[in-house]
Amino acid sequence: MIGIACATLALSACASTNGGTNGAARGASATHGTLFVANKRGNSLSLIDLASGAETKRVESCANPHELATSSDGLHVALACYGGTTVDIFRTSDLGRVASIDLGENARPHGIVWHANGDLYSTAEGRQSVFWIRDPLGKGETFEFGTGKRGSHMLAVAPDGRTAWTTDLGSKTVTRVDLLTRRAPISVTVGEEPEGISLAPDGSTLWVSARESDKAFALDPVTMEVRHEVATGRFPLRIAVRPQGDFAVTGDLEDGGLTVIDTRTATLVRRIAVSGAAEAQTRQQVTIIWSDDGKRIYAAETGTDTVAEVDFASGKVLRRLSTGEGGDGMAILGAR
């Protein structure tokens, strides 16, 4: 176990609503749950207790880990090892590694989803493909589906597990992959360098952010037709739909902020300053995720080894949580 930055009795002194690290959140109800962070420069995996704000465990993981996903029962977390070829699985209780599933030469796994059906899905950027990992804690059978596109990076999977979608940075496309019939994938051009992707909870709309276009796009997930375009902040690296389905948020790296979009009307509602333009290059805001109740947004700041906890209603940064070196991908359990 690593040393904790703030002793338990001094946690309140470490809290800040304007950028201090760790501590209990002020000006909002107490937070509960667990946050997992992939530290891509530190080649490690962190566990953060959200009640105290303390990083309570950090273990060595694999080379350059990027994205994370937790199992629906909350017992395991899967890590995409972007600097290698494996998807590694750890217990959430103590971060003990329990499985390592190899996806083959030059795989470079990145986007990852642990589906409610119990199976794992991952992009393999180096192989231009999507992998379906059936029974990951048992036989760990792998099935590969080629996208034929360069840089198949981030991933979304349908609620019924029949379809997956990727953003293909190098090809400037979004690709729909049929996981059951193996019909040819469908790819469409969506802006410049589409990267962020998030499916509405009911599967009705696919949201994509194109970082060089400074736009978010709402797509029909079946026909792949672009229904709407919404202007965002600069360089929207990620997009995440609120668990309640009513809003989508982009993480705008060059602005150091968030753009809030009403998903029903596909209109910009407001912008939230997390670090601001002056600190944006230093902070390097990357992955964004929601708490389960939709009240908080967590934004990984890989340049400063912190995660900003943002109150969605007020737009205030409640605190900054310290993590390992180069914290990027995140997964969350029981946050409320």
Side-chain angles (χ1 to χ4, degrees):
M1 182 179 295
I2 66 168
I4 305 302
C6 302
T8 302
L9 294 178
L11 282 174
S12 60
C14 299
S16 173
T17 58
N18 60 1
T21 56
N22 296 333
R26 292 178 179 173
S29 58
T31 310
H32 302 279
T34 305
L35 181 69
F36 303 90
V37 184
N39 305 308
K40 61 186 179 185
R41 291 198 307 272
N43 301 326
S44 63
L45 172 62
S46 291
L47 184 157
I48 296 174
D49 172 58
L50 291 176
S52 66
E55 183 187 21
T56 58
K57 187 81 172 178
R58 190 190 304 170
V59 298
E60 292 184 2
S61 57
C62 52
N64 198 15
H66 274 234
E67 299 299 317
L68 297 179
T70 52
S71 59
S72 57
D73 61 10
L75 298 179
H76 295 92
V77 58
L79 183 62
C81 300
Y82 190 58
T85 64
T86 63
V87 169
D88 290 0
I89 302 175
F90 300 78
R91 289 188 298 270
T92 54
S93 58
D94 61 0
L95 300 191
R97 193 189 317 253
V98 298
S100 184
I101 302 165
D102 200 311
L103 303 186
E105 184 179 2
N106 195 36
R108 299 178 67 206
H110 191 273
I112 190 166
V113 172
W114 203 322
H115 201 275
N117 64 16
D119 294 342
L120 276 168
Y121 302 84
S122 174
T123 58
E125 187 172 319
R127 297 174 67 95
Q128 299 182 7
S129 64
V130 172
F131 274 85
W132 173 10
I133 305 171
R134 186 184 294 169
D135 189 19
L137 293 167
K139 294 182 179 180
E141 298 177 282
T142 60
F143 304 88
E144 185 172 9
F145 303 81
T147 63
K149 298 298 178 181
R150 297 187 305 277
S152 293
H153 195 63
M154 299 299 291
L155 180 69
V157 179
D160 62 8
R162 297 176 62 93
T163 310
W165 297 265
T166 67
T167 47
D168 314 304
L169 274 169
S171 297
K172 302 179 181 180
T173 55
V174 178
T175 297
R176 181 181 186 271
V177 177
D178 191 312
L179 297 171
L180 295 187
T181 68
R182 287 190 174 269
R183 287 181 292 189
I186 300 172
S187 298
V188 296
T189 300
V190 180
E192 293 290 329
E193 294 189 3
E195 179 167 356
I197 191 168
S198 186
L199 186 67
D202 62 1
S204 62
T205 306
L206 184 69
W207 286 91
V208 171
S209 61
R211 64 190 200 185
E212 286 290 350
S213 296
D214 297 342
K215 287 182 179 180
F217 298 83
L219 280 69
D220 183 308
V222 177
T223 67
M224 301 298 287
E225 178 185 1
V226 174
R227 295 171 175 164
H228 304 283
E229 299 181 15
V230 185
T232 68
R234 293 180 298 164
F235 212 79
L237 195 73
R238 292 286 187 271
I239 190 165
V241 177
R242 195 176 190 224
Q244 292 71 26
D246 50 356
F247 295 100
V249 168
T250 62
D252 308 323
L253 186 147
E254 291 186 4
D255 287 339
L258 307 169
T259 297
V260 181
I261 299 167
D262 185 320
T263 56
R264 293 161 293 189
T265 60
T267 55
L268 187 153
V269 177
R270 60 191 170 110
R271 290 196 168 100
I272 298 172
V274 180
S275 60
E279 295 183 30
Q281 292 306 311
T282 300
R283 292 282 184 187
Q284 296 178 36
Q285 179 182 291
V286 283
T287 301
I288 54 172
I289 60 174
W290 292 87
S291 61
D292 298 337
D293 60 9
K295 292 183 178 180
R296 290 175 173 84
I297 301 166
Y298 293 86
E301 298 170 322
T302 191
T304 50
D305 306 334
T306 54
V307 174
E309 182 183 64
V310 181
D311 179 67
F312 179 57
S314 68
K316 293 181 179 179
V317 176
L318 301 175
R319 56 183 174 171
R320 282 189 159 89
L321 309 166
S322 296
T323 185
E325 188 177 2
D328 187 355
M330 297 181 291
I332 201 163
L333 284 176
R336 56 184 176 83

